[in-house]
Amino acid sequence: MPQGLPRKLRIAFILQAVMVSLAIVLGVYLISAVIKHSLMNTALQEEATHFWELYDASTAQPPPNTHNLRGYLVVKGHSNLVLPDNLRDLKPGFHELKDDDMLVLVDEQPAGRLYLVFLRSQAERLAFYFGTLPIILTLIAIYVVSWLTYRASKRLVSPVSWLARQVSEWDPRRPDVSGLAPDRLPAEVQGEARQLASALHGLAQRVASHVARERDFTRDASHELRTPLTVIRVASDMAMAEEASPRVVRSLQRIQRAGRDMEAVIDAFLILAREAEVEPQREDFDVADIVLDEAENARALLIGKPVDLEVSCHAKPRLHAPPRVFQVVVSNLLRNACSYTDSGRIDVIVEADRVVVRDTGIGMSAESMERVFEPFYRADPSRPRGSGLGLSIVSRLCDRFGWKIEFESELGKGTAATIRFT
């Protein structure tokens, strides 16, 4: 799991440690600067004030002279030959002489000028013991606590990571749920993780049962639904072979057309019900032949309507797909055009890369165009024909085989439906 929870925790702790380290390093630098400059400046100022108070009481008071501090006094009107050369040109104020390893305060009063010298190495030693060393110890403590917290967090999330790996290895069509059985869970999977594993185990069992039922349904439906249709088709063929009145012949022809349509719809439904990885049986077929056949069937829906249906074949495209699926798509578009066209004409145009079904019917509003592929939605509910499932099925079938379905419509003027193959 490249972006798993343990990795995210590890990155979070590393970033936290890096940020804390940077902050502490910056703090060490600032504290060192404060100790060496502000703190030492203040300490030397207090030493100078104390010396001048003693000097005012007795001019014989010698300058400070300790292990860490050296003092030089230059009284006005007198020269001080013991003053080091590197201090003679310093002006009043605080100075840092890096080359000479000195921190120098020059304090000038009416009685004279006082030079207080503190070794820079001593100041750095104080900065280390009172600033750097405590911070280093704090940083080590933070690292140790972060490491222990990370180990504890990793131990807590490891069962969740194990569950994620188990689920990621499942085959959705045949999920192996045995690894999540309560008696096979690792010892570290306890508490909420064990409850989650139990819930996933139950879910996987239900999914497996559902997949098995779906597979059994598609297999059984493919056989059981075709059997009565075959009987109907054979019986109607035998009846048409005998002499019958024109009315009976027309009824038998309608039965045959309905049987063929039902077979095509069953094939389409079974294709949609199967997994996408299960490839349906394909073959090469002429688009124009199916369009002409479906147009002939659709003319029966226009009996009694002043509507002309014309087919124009400007090309002879061929597709490699289940022909009955394309038959269902074209049949639904033609039935819709016939249902919603009360007068005028319906034109079916076959091009090299598309089929267009254009009518002069009632058209659709902008709102209807947005919902045209919704199941059970009908642009005009007052029309008795259709359940609103046709275009939803058309959309799903086109998506399944890589075709593109497009609609252009204007309310009161008609609709144009286009099936694009490429």
Side-chain angles (χ1 to χ4, degrees):
M1 297 177 63
Q3 296 294 333
L5 190 56
R7 182 174 182 270
K8 292 179 180 179
L9 281 175
R10 184 165 58 252
I11 292 175
F13 277 105
I14 291 175
L15 290 177
Q16 177 184 354
V18 169
M19 293 177 65
V20 170
S21 300
L22 292 176
I24 290 179
V25 169
L26 180 61
V28 168
Y29 175 78
L30 293 177
I31 289 175
S32 177
V34 167
I35 289 179
K36 286 194 298 183
H37 294 83
S38 300
L39 186 59
M40 293 308 302
N41 187 12
T42 302
L44 292 176
Q45 287 283 1
E46 292 177 352
E47 286 287 344
T49 301
H50 179 66
F51 170 78
W52 288 119
E53 290 176 352
L54 296 176
Y55 188 83
D56 290 340
S58 173
T59 57
Q61 176 68 32
N65 186 4
T66 65
H67 177 69
N68 296 321
L69 186 65
R70 297 288 186 274
Y72 304 92
L73 178 62
V74 178
V75 180
K76 289 186 177 181
H78 298 81
S79 61
N80 193 341
L81 299 178
V82 299
L83 183 65
D85 294 337
N86 59 344
L87 304 181
R88 294 180 183 275
D89 297 331
L90 298 180
K91 298 181 181 298
F94 185 78
H95 305 274
E96 181 179 3
L97 306 180
K98 295 183 179 180
D99 294 337
D100 299 319
D101 193 28
M102 292 181 180
L103 298 175
V104 182
L105 174 67
V106 181
D107 187 45
E108 188 171 10
Q109 297 293 331
R113 180 176 291 185
L114 177 66
Y115 294 81
L116 295 178
V117 179
F118 195 94
L119 293 179
R120 186 167 172 267
S121 57
Q122 293 285 358
E124 291 179 348
R125 189 176 297 111
L126 291 174
F128 175 77
Y129 284 117
F130 293 99
T132 305
L133 184 59
I135 290 178
I136 291 176
L137 295 177
T138 303
L139 182 60
I140 293 174
I142 291 175
Y143 285 157
V144 171
V145 171
S146 298
W147 171 250
L148 294 177
T149 305
Y150 168 72
R151 291 292 300 273
S153 301
K154 184 179 179 181
R155 189 165 53 252
L156 290 174
V157 302
S158 59
V160 179
S161 302
W162 180 83
L163 286 176
R165 287 193 300 270
Q166 291 291 320
V167 175
S168 65
E169 294 172 358
W170 283 355
D171 183 354
R173 292 172 297 179
R174 297 178 181 84
D176 182 11
V177 301
S178 59
L180 295 183
D183 57 340
R184 298 187 60 182
L185 294 177
E188 63 269 15
V189 180
Q190 298 294 333
E192 290 80 1
R194 181 170 286 271
Q195 294 178 4
L196 178 59
S198 177
L200 289 173
H201 183 258
L203 174 63
Q205 287 182 320
R206 291 193 295 273
V207 170
S209 299
H210 173 75
V211 172
R213 287 196 303 271
E214 180 180 313
R215 190 181 300 113
D216 293 342
F217 169 78
T218 54
R219 182 187 62 246
D220 296 341
S222 178
H223 176 266
E224 297 299 332
L225 293 178
R226 283 190 175 92
T227 300
L229 291 174
T230 302
V231 173
I232 292 173
R233 187 175 65 252
V234 171
S236 60
D237 287 341
M238 294 177 62
M240 289 185 65
E242 300 178 359
E243 293 185 4
S245 64
R247 182 177 180 181
V248 173
V249 171
R250 286 196 300 271
S251 297
L252 292 174
Q253 290 174 342
R254 291 184 62 185
I255 291 173
Q256 287 187 324
R257 285 197 299 268
R260 289 195 299 269
D261 291 345
M262 181 60 70
E263 287 180 345
V265 170
I266 290 173
D267 286 344
F269 281 170
L270 292 178
I271 288 173
L272 293 177
R274 296 190 186 103
E275 296 92 342
E277 293 81 4
V278 179
E279 186 67 20
Q281 186 175 357
R282 296 171 180 253
E283 60 182 86
D284 293 329
F285 63 90
D286 289 321
V287 172
D289 292 343
I290 290 181
V291 170
L292 290 171
D293 289 343
E294 293 304 314
E296 187 62 30
N297 293 337
R299 287 190 175 93
L301 303 175
L302 297 175
I303 296 176
K305 285 186 177 183
V307 178
D308 293 330
L309 193 159
E310 297 293 337
V311 179
S312 302
C313 295
H314 299 160
K316 288 284 187 179
R318 292 177 63 82
L319 293 180
H320 184 69
R324 288 183 175 179
V325 170
F326 190 75
Q327 176 186 342
V328 171
V329 173
V330 175
S331 174
N332 273 282
L333 295 180
L334 283 171
R335 280 204 298 269
N336 271 1
C338 295
S339 298
Y340 293 99
T341 303
D342 297 324
S343 62
R345 59 185 295 110
I346 299 173
D347 291 307
V348 184
I349 304 169
V350 180
E351 302 284 357
D353 62 342
R354 74 194 70 181
V355 172
V356 181
V357 179
R358 182 182 295 113
D359 62 63
T360 58
I362 64 174
M364 290 184 288
S365 64
E367 179 184 359
S368 297
M369 287 286 291
E370 293 179 356
R371 303 181 59 188
V372 67
F373 295 121
E374 290 184 12
F376 303 106
Y377 177 77
R378 297 171 61 190
D380 186 359
S382 63
R383 304 249 168 183
R385 188 183 301 275
S387 62
L389 278 174
L391 293 183
S392 174
I393 296 172
V394 166
S395 175
R396 292 166 59 195
L397 288 173
C398 289
D399 290 342
R400 181 73 168 79
F401 292 95
W403 305 328
K404 188 175 182 181
I405 182 73
E406 300 172 348
F407 277 87
E408 296 178 4
S409 185
E410 187 174 352
L411 193 62
K413 294 187 177 180
T415 301
T418 303
I419 310 169
R420 297 183 183 273
F421 313 135
T422 56

